[in-house]
């Protein structure tokens, strides 16, 4: 009450922030009070275990609650044998960091209840190689509309489709819709796009900073860091002046930099749901950067995004998937489809599979020994998940894509077969004849046939795509 009614209004006047500080204070208070209810924590913990089991996410768990020994004042659970994720020396910690991120994405974007306290003490690596999440006292409920808005935003970030980001920011409550057109047309969001591109490359704030300095060192050779900062400030000033010029052209009213800043001063805000969500994912990023200094939280989200977009037949997910595959020019992007397939594979084989003994990372290797336990388990799980998508009775975009592009793939395969029959086989036969007799035999219209059988780039891409998607349906040989 004190923070909401007294401190928040004073801070708002002092800083001139446009965020709804009263709502943020309410959300902070809600989370604080919720942590005091052990009945709520018990329910959240049990729900989480049931949801992970229902989704076959076998690499993730939470403590088992003992009901008859728990009350609203005392919460009792089974003892969990494990080591803090940030202190463990096991060689599968990078995998478990990915598992943790996937678990939080599932909570945020599917189950609708996000664990909001993922400090290092609440994330354990169990002795059998699972990720155990402790303390479900502080959680956040995410409504369906917010889930899909976040999914679309993450999909656009991973695809570096920054043209779609402004609309995402409006849907998420960061940007006022009435300010959107002016910000986009004046280029005011370009610095944000630049930062997001840097963040996509990973490494946290320190490596982002170093990459920015490397860019300026290349532009201004021989200049020290202090001098580079001067150039950065000048470029920022020039950029703001250009934005003001564009704003003048857009609005028909002459604007200076100060006018543009005043016009956009209330364009951005912090939605209340972001308070605990940002804390959760920043903590996960910090733990992951300890295991991998080049960790990129945006890129690491992609396996989950791939799985979700490929497996969710809702209109918004399918629209996001189509946008990812075809882009704004409605041109099939086979490289992006390959990335989706690889992301889907990675999600399944890291989140649904626990390596034998918990010591290694499970991988798919169709060339590996059929008696290899983890590889067989992973392949079976992947084949089942793939079949759920490719054979879904209600139909989906992936099925439509395979049907639409099957004629192109068939054309490519037919050309390969004809090339083998009409060109490769006769040439091998000629070269194997004794005494060089083959050199005296007529070759026929080889050049004409060869030209006719040349595959287009599209045929090559689609052929590779179909072969790759088909390989996900292949089961491992029986031992």
């Amino acid at each position: 009450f004190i923070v909401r009614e007294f401190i928040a209004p004073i801070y708002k006047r002092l800083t001139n922030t446009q965020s709804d500080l009263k709502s943020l204070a309410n959300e902070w208070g809600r989370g604080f009070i919720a942590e005091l209810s052990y009945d709520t924590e018990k329910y959240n913990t049990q729900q989480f275990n049931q949801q992970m089991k229902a989704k076959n996410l076998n690499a993730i768990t939470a403590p088992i609650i003992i009901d008859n020994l728990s009350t609203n004042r005392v919460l009792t659970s089974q003892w969990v044998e494990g080591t803090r994720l940030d202190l463990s020396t096991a060689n599968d910690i990078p995998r478990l960091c990915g598992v943790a991120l996937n678990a939080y994405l599932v909570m945020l974007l599917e189950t609708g209840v996000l664990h909001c306290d993922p400090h290092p003490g609440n994330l354990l690596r169990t002795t059998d190689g699972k990720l155990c999440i402790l303390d479900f006292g502080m959680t956040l409920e995410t409504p369906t509309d917010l889930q899909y808005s976040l999914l679309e935003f993450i999909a656009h970030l991973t695809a570096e489709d920054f043209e779609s980001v402004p609309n995402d920011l409006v849907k998420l409550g960061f940007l006022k819709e009435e300010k959107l057109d002016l910000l986009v047309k004046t280029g005011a969001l370009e610095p944000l796009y630049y930062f997001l591109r840097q963040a996509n490359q990973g490494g946290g704030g320190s490596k982002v900073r170093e990459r920015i300095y490397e860019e300026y060192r290349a532009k201004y050779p021989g200049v020290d860091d202090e001098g580079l900062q001067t150039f950065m400030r000048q470029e920022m000033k020039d950029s703001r002046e250009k934005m003001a010029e564009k704003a003048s052209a857009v609005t028909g009213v002459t604007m200076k930099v100060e006018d543009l800043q005043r016009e956009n001063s209330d364009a951005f805000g912090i939605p209340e749901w972001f308070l605990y969500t940002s804390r959760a994912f920043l903590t996960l990023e910090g733990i992951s950067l300890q295991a991998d200094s080049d960790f990129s939280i945006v890129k690491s989200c992609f396996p989950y995004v791939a799985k979700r977009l490929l497996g969710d037949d809702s209109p918004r997910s399918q629209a996001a998937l189509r946008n990812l595959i075809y882009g704004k020019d409605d041109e099939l992007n086979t490289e992006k489809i390959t990335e989706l397939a690889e992301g889907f594979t990675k999600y399944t084989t890291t989140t649904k599979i626990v390596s034998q003994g918990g010591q290694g990372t499970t991988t798919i290797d169709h060339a590996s020994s059929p008696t290899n336990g983890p590889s067989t388990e992973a392949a079976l799980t992947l084949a089942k998940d793939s079949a759920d998508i490719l054979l879904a009775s209600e139909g989906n975009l992936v099925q439509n894509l395979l049907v639409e592009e099957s004629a192109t793939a068939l054309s490519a395969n037919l050309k390969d077969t004809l090339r083998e029959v009409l060109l490769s086989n006769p040439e091998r036969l000629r070269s194997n004849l004794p005494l060089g007799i083959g050199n005296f035999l007529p070759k026929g219209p080889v050049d004409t046939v060869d030209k006719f059988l040349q595959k287009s780039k599209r045929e090559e891409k689609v052929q590779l795509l179909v072969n790759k998607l088909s390989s996900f349906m292949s089961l491992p040989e029986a031992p």
Side-chain angles (χ1 to χ4, degrees):
F1 175 80
I2 294 174
V3 172
R4 183 187 64 201
E5 298 299 329
F6 296 100
I7 298 178
I10 293 172
Y11 183 81
K12 188 178 181 73
R13 283 196 297 269
L14 291 175
T15 61
N16 200 32
T17 179
Q18 297 304 312
S19 297
D20 186 351
L21 297 184
K22 284 192 175 183
S23 295
L24 293 176
N26 272 335
E27 180 61 16
W28 173 79
R30 181 204 62 78
F32 181 78
I33 296 299
E35 276 210 284
L36 303 178
S37 171
Y38 285 137
D39 280 342
T40 301
E41 182 172 350
K42 179 181 78 170
Y43 175 79
N44 290 336
T45 306
Q46 292 173 330
Q47 279 291 103
F48 176 78
N49 276 328
Q50 291 172 12
Q51 289 162 345
M52 294 304 104
K53 183 177 180 180
K55 294 181 178 296
N56 294 316
L57 301 181
N58 302 316
I60 309 164
T61 188
I64 304 301
I65 302 298
I66 304 174
D67 279 308
N68 61 344
L69 296 178
S70 299
T71 69
N72 193 39
R73 296 178 180 272
V74 177
L75 183 64
T76 308
S77 70
Q78 293 181 3
W79 183 259
V80 179
E81 289 286 347
T83 307
R84 281 175 41 154
L85 204 59
D86 62 327
L87 299 179
S88 175
T89 58
N91 61 8
D92 61 352
I93 294 305
R95 177 183 72 88
L96 285 177
C97 287
V99 169
L101 181 62
N102 285 334
Y104 276 79
L105 288 169
V106 168
M107 287 187 276
L108 179 67
L109 302 178
E110 287 188 55
T111 65
V113 178
L114 177 69
H115 177 276
C116 292
D117 198 16
H119 64 75
N122 281 343
L123 301 175
L124 299 183
R125 181 198 180 277
T126 65
T127 53
D128 58 352
K130 294 182 180 181
L131 171 73
C132 183
I133 302 176
L134 309 177
D135 189 1
F136 278 79
M138 185 185 294
T139 59
L140 171 74
E141 292 187 8
T142 55
T144 302
D145 184 64
L146 175 60
Q147 292 175 21
Y148 280 111
S149 295
L150 283 166
L151 180 64
E152 291 163 345
F153 177 56
I154 296 171
H156 293 147
L157 285 185
T158 54
E160 295 197 354
D161 177 14
F162 297 116
E163 290 185 10
S164 300
V165 166
N167 284 313
D168 293 332
L169 295 178
V170 171
K171 292 178 184 177
L172 293 171
F174 288 105
L175 179 61
K176 292 183 178 179
E177 187 171 8
E178 61 269 22
K179 301 289 185 178
L180 177 61
D181 189 58
L182 180 62
L183 287 170
V184 170
K185 289 182 177 178
T186 59
L189 296 177
E190 290 300 325
L192 174 63
Y193 303 157
Y194 176 78
F195 174 78
L196 291 174
R197 288 189 184 94
Q198 290 290 340
N200 270 6
Q201 297 179 49
S206 60
K207 289 205 172 181
V208 168
R209 179 182 183 277
E210 184 56 32
R211 283 196 295 269
I212 292 174
Y213 270 92
E214 285 298 324
E215 285 186 15
Y216 276 86
R217 290 185 189 112
K219 289 170 66 175
Y220 306 102
V223 178
D224 60 19
D225 286 358
E226 186 174 344
L228 292 176
Q229 291 176 12
T230 301
F231 283 113
M232 291 178 190
R233 285 192 290 268
Q234 183 59 47
E235 288 191 10
M236 291 176 64
K237 180 181 177 182
D238 294 342
S239 176
R240 286 194 295 267
E241 289 176 351
K242 288 180 180 178
M243 290 178 197
E245 291 176 6
K246 290 181 180 178
S248 300
V250 170
T251 63
V253 178
T254 302
M255 283 192 178
K256 296 181 180 180
V257 172
E258 295 79 7
D259 299 324
L260 182 61
Q261 290 175 334
R262 186 166 51 253
E263 179 71 19
N264 293 332
S265 62
D266 63 341
F268 293 93
I270 300 176
E272 57 191 67
W273 63 263
F274 188 67
L275 184 66
Y276 287 122
T277 307
S278 60
R279 179 174 180 267
F281 282 89
L282 285 173
T283 302
L284 288 174
E285 182 182 38
I287 295 172
S288 299
L289 283 169
Q290 292 181 37
D292 177 8
S293 61
D294 292 321
F295 175 80
S296 166
I297 193 167
V298 175
K299 288 183 179 179
S300 297
C301 286
F302 191 73
Y304 172 82
V305 171
K307 169 262 174 189
R308 179 66 184 276
L309 293 181
L310 290 170
D312 188 337
D313 61 357
S314 68
R316 289 182 69 173
S317 283
Q318 292 296 289
L321 178 60
R322 173 167 284 279
N323 181 63
L324 197 62
I325 292 175
Y326 288 95
K328 61 180 181 179
D329 298 323
D330 203 31
E331 182 69 25
L332 181 67
N333 187 332
T334 55
E335 289 83 3
K336 188 58 65 177
I337 298 176
T338 298
E339 290 177 16
L340 280 165
E342 290 172 349
F344 179 81
T345 302
K346 185 175 181 180
Y347 175 85
T348 297
T349 57
T350 56
T351 309
K352 292 195 172 186
I353 305 297
V354 182
S355 302
Q356 283 188 340
Q359 293 300 317
T361 301
T362 299
T363 59
I364 286 289
D365 182 1
H366 289 287
S368 64
S369 169
T371 60
N372 185 305
S375 181
T376 301
E377 180 190 5
L380 286 168
T381 303
L382 180 59
K384 179 184 178 301
D385 286 359
S386 302
D388 289 342
I389 295 171
L390 298 178
L391 303 178
S393 59
E394 62 274 16
N396 53 50
L397 182 60
V398 176
Q399 293 176 354
N400 294 339
L401 175 66
L402 289 175
V403 171
E404 291 170 4
E405 303 298 340
S406 59
T408 305
L410 181 62
S411 172
N413 289 334
L414 179 60
K415 287 181 179 180
D416 284 344
T417 301
L418 291 174
R419 176 176 293 279
E420 186 71 17
V421 172
L422 300 177
L423 297 179
S424 300
N425 285 344
E427 184 59 32
R428 279 194 292 269
L429 179 62
R430 288 165 52 83
S431 62
N432 288 331
L433 290 175
L435 305 176
I437 295 176
N439 295 327
F440 299 100
L441 296 177
K443 290 187 176 182
V446 173
D447 292 339
T448 302
V449 175
D450 180 73
K451 185 177 181 181
F452 174 75
L453 297 179
Q454 288 288 338
K455 291 183 292 188
S456 67
K457 289 185 178 180
R458 179 178 176 82
E459 286 176 326
E460 290 177 348
K461 288 182 177 181
V462 173
Q463 185 181 35
L464 288 172
L465 166 66
V466 172
N467 290 340
K468 192 169 189 67
L469 290 177
S470 298
S471 72
F472 294 147
M473 288 295 294
S474 62
L475 294 172
E477 297 177 13

